Amino acid sequence: MQNAIQRTELKTYYYTPVHCPFCGTRVMGADPVDETRITACAHTLFIAHDTAFEYRSERLDRHLKLNGLSEKEVEECWLREEGGVDAFTDRITLADAVKVAAYAPAPSAYGSYYGFAPTE
Ligand SMILES: [Zn+2]
C-alpha cells in the first residue's frame, strides 16, 4: 500500500498564513485587497474547508477520480465520508504529499485544509 498524505496540524496558530512547502508561495491571504483570494502554485493539490473545496487541481481530480464529475457529484463524494473533506483528502497517496490542517478553536471548530505535493 502506498503511503497516505502526511499531515501537519495547526491548532494554536491556526491563523498563520500557509505557504507551499515546496516553493514558498503563500496560497491564501497574499492579496491585501482580497484576503480570501487563492494563489495556487503548481504544487497545490487542494484548498478546502469543512463545507467546500475552494480549489482543486487537475492532478487531484485525476488522482481521486473526480475528473468529469460535476461539482454536485464531487460534493456527494466527500459528504458520504464520515470525516467530510478532511477524511476524504486523507485518501491522497501521491508521493510525498503534505497536508496542512488548520483548526480554529472550539466552539467554532472550523477547519481549513491545504494539500501540496512535489512535481517532477
Ligand atoms: Zn508550490
Side-chain angles (χ1 to χ4, degrees), residues 62-93:
R62 261 184 281 122
H63 181 63
L64 293 180
K65 301 190 168 52
L66 301 175
N67 43 352
L69 299 185
S70 69
E71 287 308 307
K72 180 100 189 89
E73 288 167 326
V74 170
E75 194 177 325
E76 281 163 7
C77 283
W78 61 260
L79 282 174
R80 246 185 272 133
E81 199 86 27
E82 201 172 319
V85 169
D86 198 3
F88 185 66
T89 52
D90 275 347
R91 288 198 204 171
I92 295 166
T93 54

Side-chain angles (χ1 to χ4, degrees), residues 4 9 11 15 22 25 32 34 39 43-45 47 78-79 87 91 99 110-111 114 119:
E9 297 188 355
K11 290 177 172 167
Y15 47 82
F22 305 110
T25 296
D34 179 7
T39 312
H43 312 106
T44 311
L45 295 173
I47 298 174
W78 61 260
L79 282 174
R91 288 198 204 171
K99 169 167 151 181
Y110 183 84
Y114 307 84
T119 49

Side-chain angles (χ1 to χ4, degrees), residues 20 23 41 43:
C20 169
C23 74
C41 63
H43 312 106

